[in-house]
Amino acid sequence: MYSMLDLHQRTSPLQWLLIAVAQKWVATLVCDMKLDLKAKRITQDPLADISPWDTLNWHSRQILNDMSKVITFRKETVSEHRLFIVLSGVMAVRRELSDGRWTFSTLFKAGDIIDTERHERIHQGKLMALNSVDVMLVTSETFRQCLTTTPDINRVYSQVMRILAERARDHITDLACKTPTELVASVLFEFKRWPQSIQINKSDTVVLPISRRNIAHYLGIKPETISRVFNKLETQQLLQVPLADHVIMLDAPKIRQIANGGHPRGQG
Amino acid sequence: MYSMLDLHQRTSPLQWLLIAVAQKWVATLVCDMKLDLKAKRITQDPLADISPWDTLNWHSRQILNDMSKVITFRKETVSEHRLFIVLSGVMAVRRELSDGRWTFSTLFKAGDIIDTERHERIHQGKLMALNSVDVMLVTSETFRQCLTTTPDINRVYSQVMRILAERARDHITDLACKTPTELVASVLFEFKRWPQSIQINKSDTVVLPISRRNIAHYLGIKPETISRVFNKLETQQLLQVPLADHVIMLDAPKIRQIANGGHPRGQG
DNA sequence: CGTCACGTTGACCCGTTTCAATATTGGTGG
DNA sequence: CCACCAATATTGAAACGGGTCAACGTGACG
């Protein structure tokens, strides 16, 4: 940049050309630097793009970033940490019965905060990464203190916790009354709302973020049943399954209707 | 009291008798007054006896009491309030599907805080009293502000919220993998942990705090199934059901084992 | 005494699980 | 690039479990 200013002092036609070329080159260089800076800023402030943490003011995010570090769980990893924010991927609480049956009681996606520190009771289940998962690790004491000192963070924290409680109640409702067909229809819409890792322009395409086997464990049914449900819905022209993890909703309203209880027992 | 002192000034045998009678009368009167005072204190500080709110210091409880009022929901009442602490009785979130099926997704007992204020989504289900329920009503703004200004209250609040989240995950696990027999066994222990309205000296007796019909809706099964399960467990000498809402555990360890997954499909 | 809600019992049957076999996918290394 | 393996997904057949429905018993209440 300084050399460019120097060039300006003594101008000749050739030099003008050189200057023009140099300017262009420098411009692209600066542009690249800006992009690089932006990329760097994003990696340093990963919450900026994740709802609802993007509603934090810059200062609050700065506090959070300063007290935390970003780490990655590889697929199938069990986390010993019990307090962090999910940045990408899917984590789950795996809970087991004594004879080996188990379920994913909760799924956590980007933006969710996982706060399952032990209180009096011991067994809470394992925290597992179903994908490669980026998380933002915070230390318990600092974070708890920060919740009392920074109302902005407390606001978002309690908002997320209430959304999670609401999702849990949704899930309970599903498990308690829905038939497998309705369960699958519901979970399609649940995944549809999630931030898709692969951006699909077709808005009616849902990318299943986890394997069907894991979906089955989340819904409390068997993988075979999920397969049969997809078959049935496909023959009814309600959806298409071009790939194992891609579902195209052909008749979203009808699927929505099924998800809300439109397929009780005794309707084939 | 003053008149009694007056009597003391001029003593005669008859007066002594009168004094004695009067003293006794006054004593019982004072005693009654003390009881009354104590009752009044309890009604003024209802959190003093309810875990985990009893761990609050006196000052914090005073703050909570000052900002709130105690009201009673009668049985079957639907509450429009969405933020309060349960003092006695059982409340539930009733959620429905479009075709009439419904479940109690969450049960709230004494000590639980109900904080289901709406965020972006609309339908969260109805808050219902399954009993006569005393609650401590707080105004949202005051309470939220208080959470930021009083760490003591914030501590208990987040403790309760985490316990509730944990209970939700328990419930999800139950619904997702357990057979009806295991569900019923589980719910017996859940109720066993609750503060019993009627104190039973026999520690192995569980008083069902809600009707079997409602238990069925909570567990996502039918009342008929619950009845059959009790029959089966009774013929296996594991428990006794002297009254419809009293269950005596004859073999608590075995029932515990069943609750944790000791009765999968295919075991009769 | 009638009504109503709740709980119980029995018979039947649909649907999900179970089990087994096969097809498909994805990853690894030659 | 292909072969190979493991994990996952699919398909079929059979069995059992809990849902459904109907009828009856019971207790609370006016």
Side-chain angles (χ1 to χ4, degrees):
Chain A
M1 301 272 269
Y2 294 106
S3 64
M4 205 169 91
L5 289 174
D6 287 342
L7 282 172
H8 256 285
Q9 306 301 327
R10 32 210 157 100
T11 51
S12 78
L14 182 61
Q15 283 174 345
W16 267 116
L17 183 63
L18 282 172
I19 290 168
V21 171
Q23 275 182 333
K24 184 149 190 182
W25 175 74
V26 168
T28 58
L29 190 71
V30 169
C31 184
D32 286 350
M33 281 170 63
K34 275 185 187 163
L35 280 174
D36 194 55
L37 275 174
K38 192 178 171 194
K40 199 153 195 176
R41 192 181 60 78
I42 286 179
T43 56
Q44 280 178 353
D45 187 2
L47 297 178
D49 300 316
I50 294 177
S51 165
W53 302 90
D54 53 0
T55 65
L56 284 175
N57 62 47
W58 181 84
H59 181 62
S60 305
R61 284 210 302 273
Q62 197 66 23
I63 294 175
L64 269 179
N65 287 323
D66 286 347
M67 76 165 70
S68 62
K69 64 177 180 186
V70 173
I71 66 172
T72 302
F73 294 122
R74 282 191 307 186
K75 194 173 175 179
E76 307 287 326
T77 312
V78 172
S79 163
E80 293 306 320
H81 304 289
R82 302 233 143 223
L83 178 61
F84 50 83
I85 300 167
V86 178
L87 300 175
S88 70
V90 181
M91 295 222 63
V93 177
R94 175 179 164 147
R95 303 179 110 260
E96 325 190 338
L97 299 190
S98 61
D99 71 337
R101 278 172 286 168
W102 57 274
T103 184
F104 288 128
S105 62
T106 321
L107 299 185
F108 296 97
K109 62 169 172 48
D112 292 342
I113 186 162
I114 297 183
D115 182 0
T116 58
E117 298 193 314
R118 299 158 199 281
H119 44 273
E120 62 268 18
R121 269 198 275 149
I122 303 165
H123 190 60
Q124 294 216 24
K126 293 179 192 161
L127 266 178
M128 264 182 86
L130 304 189
N131 279 338
S132 176
V133 180
D134 290 335
V135 307
M136 195 166 182
L137 209 60
V138 297
T139 54
S140 177
E141 302 78 26
T142 326
F143 184 70
R144 305 259 177 248
Q145 193 180 350
C146 164
L147 286 179
T148 62
T149 56
T150 318
D152 197 31
I153 295 178
N154 197 0
R155 172 182 61 81
V156 173
Y157 170 80
S158 60
Q159 181 186 349
V160 172
M161 292 306 276
R162 259 178 289 157
I163 292 176
L164 287 177
E166 176 60 10
R167 277 226 300 270
R169 279 193 279 269
D170 270 334
H171 194 199
I172 288 173
T173 310
D174 291 356
L175 293 173
C177 9
K178 288 188 181 174
T179 63
T181 309
E182 295 161 353
L183 282 170
V184 172
S186 300
V187 90
L188 283 183
F189 284 103
E190 185 172 346
F191 289 149
K192 201 173 192 296
R193 282 194 298 269
W194 284 25
Q196 300 279 343
S197 57
I198 313 156
Q199 273 308 328
I200 305 288
N201 47 359
K202 301 275 286 180
S203 64
D204 50 3
T205 297
V206 181
V207 180
L208 306 182
I210 58 177
S211 71
R212 296 194 182 191
R213 165 182 262 268
N214 286 341
I215 295 176
H217 280 294
Y218 176 58
L219 299 180
I221 57 182
K222 302 292 154 190
E224 294 95 322
T225 310
I226 290 195
S227 185
R228 290 184 234 273
V229 166
F230 275 136
N231 277 350
K232 195 168 57 182
L233 295 181
E234 211 166 4
T235 60
Q236 290 177 12
Q237 305 281 335
L238 298 181
L239 51 77
Q240 261 182 339
V241 190
L243 289 94
D245 62 345
H246 278 60
V247 178
I248 305 177
M249 295 193 183
L250 298 178
D251 190 349
K254 179 68 181 166
I255 299 176
R256 165 71 72 188
Q257 197 180 326
I258 291 176
N260 287 341
H263 195 101
R265 290 165 177 279
Q267 288 201 359
Chain B
M1 301 271 270
Y2 294 105
S3 64
M4 204 170 92
L5 289 174
D6 287 341
L7 282 173
H8 255 284
Q9 306 300 327
R10 34 214 154 98
T11 51
S12 77
L14 181 61
Q15 282 175 344
W16 268 116
L17 183 63
L18 282 173
I19 290 168
V21 172
Q23 276 181 334
K24 183 146 192 185
W25 175 74
V26 168
T28 57
L29 189 72
V30 168
C31 185
D32 286 350
M33 281 171 62
K34 273 185 189 162
L35 280 175
D36 194 52
L37 274 174
K38 192 179 171 194
K40 200 153 195 175
R41 192 181 61 76
I42 287 179
T43 56
Q44 278 179 354
D45 188 2
L47 297 178
D49 301 316
I50 294 178
S51 165
W53 301 91
D54 53 1
T55 65
L56 284 176
N57 62 48
W58 181 84
H59 181 63
S60 304
R61 284 211 301 273
Q62 197 67 23
I63 294 176
L64 269 180
N65 287 323
D66 286 347
M67 76 167 70
S68 62
K69 63 177 181 186
V70 173
I71 66 173
T72 302
F73 295 121
R74 283 192 306 186
K75 195 172 174 179
E76 307 288 327
T77 311
V78 173
S79 162
E80 293 305 320
H81 303 289
R82 302 234 144 222
L83 179 62
F84 50 84
I85 300 167
V86 178
L87 300 175
S88 71
V90 182
M91 296 223 60
V93 177
R94 176 180 161 146
R95 304 180 109 259
E96 324 191 338
L97 299 191
S98 62
D99 71 336
R101 277 172 287 167
W102 57 273
T103 184
F104 288 128
S105 62
T106 321
L107 298 185
F108 296 97
K109 62 171 171 49
D112 292 341
I113 186 162
I114 297 183
D115 182 359
T116 58
E117 298 193 314
R118 299 157 199 281
H119 45 272
E120 62 268 18
R121 269 198 276 149
I122 303 165
H123 191 60
Q124 294 217 23
K126 293 179 193 161
L127 267 178
M128 264 183 85
L130 304 189
N131 279 338
S132 176
V133 180
D134 290 333
V135 306
M136 195 167 183
L137 208 59
V138 297
T139 54
S140 177
E141 302 77 27
T142 326
F143 184 70
R144 304 261 176 247
Q145 194 180 352
C146 164
L147 286 178
T148 62
T149 55
T150 319
D152 197 31
I153 295 177
N154 197 0
R155 172 182 61 81
V156 173
Y157 170 82
S158 60
Q159 181 186 351
V160 172
M161 292 306 277
R162 259 179 290 157
I163 291 177
L164 287 177
E166 176 60 9
R167 278 227 300 269
R169 280 193 279 270
D170 271 333
H171 194 198
I172 288 172
T173 310
D174 291 355
L175 294 173
C177 10
K178 289 188 182 174
T179 62
T181 309
E182 294 161 352
L183 283 169
V184 172
S186 300
V187 90
L188 282 183
F189 285 103
E190 185 172 346
F191 289 148
K192 201 172 192 297
R193 281 194 299 269
W194 284 25
Q196 299 279 343
S197 57
I198 312 156
Q199 273 307 328
I200 306 287
N201 47 358
K202 301 275 285 180
S203 63
D204 51 1
T205 297
V206 181
V207 180
L208 306 183
I210 58 177
S211 71
R212 296 196 182 190
R213 167 180 263 269
N214 285 341
I215 294 176
H217 280 295
Y218 176 58
L219 299 180
I221 57 181
K222 301 292 152 188
E224 294 95 322
T225 308
I226 290 195
S227 184
R228 290 185 237 272
V229 167
F230 275 135
N231 276 351
K232 194 168 58 183
L233 295 181
E234 211 167 4
T235 59
Q236 291 177 12
Q237 305 280 336
L238 299 181
L239 50 77
Q240 260 181 341
V241 191
L243 288 94
D245 61 345
H246 278 61
V247 178
I248 304 176
M249 294 194 184
L250 298 179
D251 189 348
K254 179 69 181 165
I255 299 177
R256 164 70 72 187
Q257 197 180 325
I258 290 176
N260 287 341
H263 196 102
R265 289 166 177 278
Q267 287 200 359

